[in-house]
Amino acid sequence: MSRRKEPRRLTEDEHALWQRVADSADPLHPERKAAPSEPAAPHAVRAEKPVRGDRAETAIPSFRIGERADGKTPGHDLAAPLGDRLAKRPVTMDKRTHARMSRGKLTPEARLDLHGMTLDQAHPALVSFILSAQATGKRLVLVITGKGRQARDEGPIPARRGLLKHHVPGWLSAPPLTRVVLQVSEAHQSHGGSGAYYVYLRRQR
């Protein structure tokens, strides 16, 4: 291999000549300062001590996710079946008569069949029937709502069966019927079971 040839250095006469030329030359931008041949070494950054007091850095204690969990999950707040909720209502009528009614031993004096009606049709029909029954001195009447149809495909969120079945107890406990109705309960199987209601009325004053 051939050795790399070293560059020729200036002689003393050539260096002196170049220096005289450089001293006689006018700078192109005299306002600019000559750049330093080597960049200045950056100053060493002094580490500051953490400030004590309000600005003091708080140490975070070690922890494990879920270590304070009690392991209990909230239960589902599901409403009880409508029949159970009605059965838990306080008995406001004569208890002996209520017991006979619950066993199907009392015969309703009139009945209203709401099955197949819309909500808009059923509500005024119910109000008219109850007020008329009370006005004629009747005490026990039967309101038939039906159990409601089972949907073919309920989807991910099942819908309530029987809109009339769920609305009628609310209508009976709201004006103008609340002052007329004394007790509401699901009918005995001999009178329609969960698809009908016994409505016991107050005496007409």
Side-chain angles (χ1 to χ4, degrees):
M1 289 180 63
S2 60
R3 296 179 59 186
R4 186 177 179 181
K5 187 177 180 180
E6 297 182 359
R8 187 178 68 83
R9 298 180 179 276
L10 297 177
T11 62
E12 293 183 2
D13 293 339
E14 291 173 336
H15 189 274
L17 177 61
W18 170 253
Q19 191 63 44
R20 287 198 298 270
V21 173
D23 292 341
S24 63
D26 295 328
L28 184 61
H29 299 286
E31 68 279 1
R32 294 182 181 177
K33 296 180 179 180
S37 57
E38 295 182 1
H43 296 287
V45 180
R46 184 178 179 182
E48 297 183 359
K49 295 181 180 180
V51 180
R52 295 182 179 179
D54 295 339
R55 296 183 180 180
E57 184 177 343
T58 305
I60 301 177
S62 60
F63 68 95
R64 183 170 57 86
I65 296 176
E67 63 183 2
R68 295 186 180 180
D70 57 6
K72 298 178 181 179
T73 56
H76 298 290
D77 185 15
L78 299 178
L82 186 57
D84 295 344
R85 283 180 279 160
L86 291 175
K88 291 180 179 179
R89 288 185 178 180
V91 178
T92 54
M93 59 184 288
D94 179 72
K95 292 184 178 180
R96 184 174 297 180
T97 304
H98 180 267
R100 293 185 61 206
M101 180 184 72
S102 300
R103 294 195 300 267
K105 299 300 182 179
L106 297 181
T107 302
E109 301 170 72
R111 65 181 59 204
L112 171 67
D113 191 351
L114 300 176
H115 188 262
M117 293 187 185
T118 64
L119 295 179
D120 291 338
Q121 294 170 337
H123 189 202
L126 177 67
V127 172
S128 177
F129 170 74
I130 295 296
L131 294 179
S132 176
Q134 198 247 7
T136 55
K138 295 180 176 61
R139 301 299 306 276
L140 178 63
V141 297
L142 184 70
V143 177
I144 302 170
T145 62
K147 299 179 182 180
R149 295 180 180 178
Q150 178 69 43
R152 293 183 179 178
D153 183 11
E154 292 184 342
I157 304 178
R160 278 181 172 177
R161 288 183 58 187
L163 288 177
L164 285 175
K165 175 179 173 59
H166 284 85
H167 277 76
V168 164
W171 292 341
L172 292 170
S173 60
L177 300 182
T178 184
R179 60 181 177 83
V180 176
V181 176
L182 187 62
Q183 193 81 40
V184 179
S185 63
E186 279 193 352
H188 187 264
Q189 291 295 330
S190 60
H191 293 129
S194 60
Y197 293 109
Y198 289 137
V199 183
Y200 202 79
L201 306 177
R202 300 179 186 274
R203 291 186 184 275
Q204 187 180 19
R205 295 179 182 179

